[in-house]
Amino acid sequence: MALRVVVGEDSLLVREGIAGILGGLDGIELVETAGDLGELRASVDRAAPDVVVTDIRMPPTNSDEGIRFADELRSSHPEIGVVILSMHAEPRYATALLKGGSDRRAYLLKERLTDPAELSDALHTVAAGGSVIDPQVVERLVASREGGSSQLDALTPREREILGLIAQGRSNRWIASELTITRRAVERHINAIFIKLDLGEPEDVNRRVRATLLYLSGNEA
């Protein structure tokens, strides 16, 4: 069955653009759109979507409505995935989004809309319970953390590379394929990363995403 999607975006032009992209994706059904937070709440209650795609900032305050609504949904509709779209690679918003858990959450830059396949992947990932963080956000987190972290300094170049992929929500299978190494090798690298960063056991991809992002942002996991 097609994934049912509700879109929240205050700009009519951008909203129509997103709707056009979603309309061209196989396995995706756009059921409703909304222009502000109140409309978005009503649309979700009415349409019961699988995934909400929302701008990070919407009326009434144009601050962080998307993040706050994603947090609301953890209690009211925990089964719904959320893809946050932002113009800026702001690590603080990504970590705020994942503060309550990384399951069914994605943070993407709006420039990713130029690649429909990437948006489709994010929609299916969060619908299945996974998480995705834009690579540019991960890069900024790593760069800001490197300046004062002896733990990050202890990572090998390969471990740093894998750390970035982990924080993007990539599975061991995907990482192994991308880097042309075995899954067992990936597991060894991940174990080494988590030991060096004092993040505990790498039990699953979602927990790894949250722990890694919280670590990189300077917060405790």
Side-chain angles (χ1 to χ4, degrees), residues 4-9 15 18-19 22 25 28 30 32-34 40 44 49-56 58 66 69 73 80-86 106 108 110 113 119 122-123 126:
R4 293 165 53 80
V5 178
V6 165
V7 171
E9 167 62 57
R15 191 163 66 243
I18 296 173
L22 294 175
L25 295 177
I28 303 295
L30 175 62
E32 289 199 27
T33 63
L40 184 57
V44 168
D50 299 301
V51 180
V52 171
V53 177
T54 178
D55 191 359
I56 196 169
M58 288 188 298
F69 186 55
L73 290 176
I80 295 178
V82 180
V83 176
I84 295 289
L85 297 176
S86 176
L108 295 179
K110 285 187 174 178
L113 294 175
L119 178 59
L123 291 170
V126 299

Side-chain angles (χ1 to χ4, degrees), residues 5-102:
V5 178
V6 165
V7 171
E9 167 62 57
D10 64 309
S11 167
L12 177 60
L13 265 176
V14 176
R15 191 163 66 243
E16 290 183 344
I18 296 173
I21 293 170
L22 294 175
L25 295 177
D26 292 335
I28 303 295
E29 178 188 1
L30 175 62
V31 291
E32 289 199 27
T33 63
D36 61 42
L37 183 57
E39 290 180 3
L40 184 57
R41 283 197 186 101
S43 291
V44 168
D45 288 338
R46 186 167 49 244
D50 299 301
V51 180
V52 171
V53 177
T54 178
D55 191 359
I56 196 169
R57 294 171 179 161
M58 288 188 298
T61 68
N62 290 305
S63 56
D64 63 347
E65 279 79 7
I67 298 291
R68 289 190 284 112
F69 186 55
D71 191 50
E72 287 179 24
L73 290 176
R74 291 193 189 282
S75 299
S76 62
H77 299 82
E79 75 284 359
I80 295 178
V82 180
V83 176
I84 295 289
L85 297 176
S86 176
M87 290 289 292
H88 308 289
E90 288 287 348
R92 63 191 177 96
Y93 287 132
T95 53
L97 176 66
L98 302 185
K99 188 174 182 180
S102 60

Side-chain angles (χ1 to χ4, degrees), residues 68-213:
R68 289 190 284 112
F69 186 55
D71 191 50
E72 287 179 24
L73 290 176
R74 291 193 189 282
S75 299
S76 62
H77 299 82
E79 75 284 359
I80 295 178
V82 180
V83 176
I84 295 289
L85 297 176
S86 176
M87 290 289 292
H88 308 289
E90 288 287 348
R92 63 191 177 96
Y93 287 132
T95 53
L97 176 66
L98 302 185
K99 188 174 182 180
S102 60
D103 296 20
R104 300 182 186 277
R105 295 295 179 264
Y107 185 95
L108 295 179
L109 298 184
K110 285 187 174 178
E111 64 189 61
R112 303 299 173 192
L113 294 175
T114 60
D115 185 351
E118 193 160 0
L119 178 59
S120 179
D121 286 346
L123 291 170
H124 283 92
T125 296
V126 299
S131 56
V132 179
I133 300 299
D134 195 282
Q136 286 193 34
V137 176
V138 175
E139 288 172 7
R140 288 192 60 177
L141 283 167
V142 172
S144 65
R145 193 70 163 148
E146 281 181 336
S149 174
S150 59
Q151 287 174 298
L152 270 182
D153 290 341
L155 299 183
T156 67
R158 176 64 91 184
E159 288 168 353
R160 288 171 186 251
E161 186 176 22
I162 290 176
L163 172 63
L165 295 174
I166 290 172
Q168 293 169 35
R170 303 302 186 182
S171 68
N172 289 6
R173 183 193 300 270
W174 192 97
I175 294 173
S177 176
E178 179 72 10
L179 302 183
T180 321
I181 58 178
T182 66
R183 290 180 64 181
R184 186 176 295 275
V186 172
E187 291 167 1
R188 286 199 299 268
H189 284 303
I190 291 173
N191 285 330
I193 291 168
F194 273 66
I195 289 171
K196 291 177 181 178
L197 299 186
D198 295 325
L199 290 176
E201 293 298 321
E203 296 169 355
D204 58 65
V205 172
N206 288 339
R207 182 181 176 281
R208 285 162 26 191
V209 171
R210 179 168 179 263
T212 303
L213 284 173

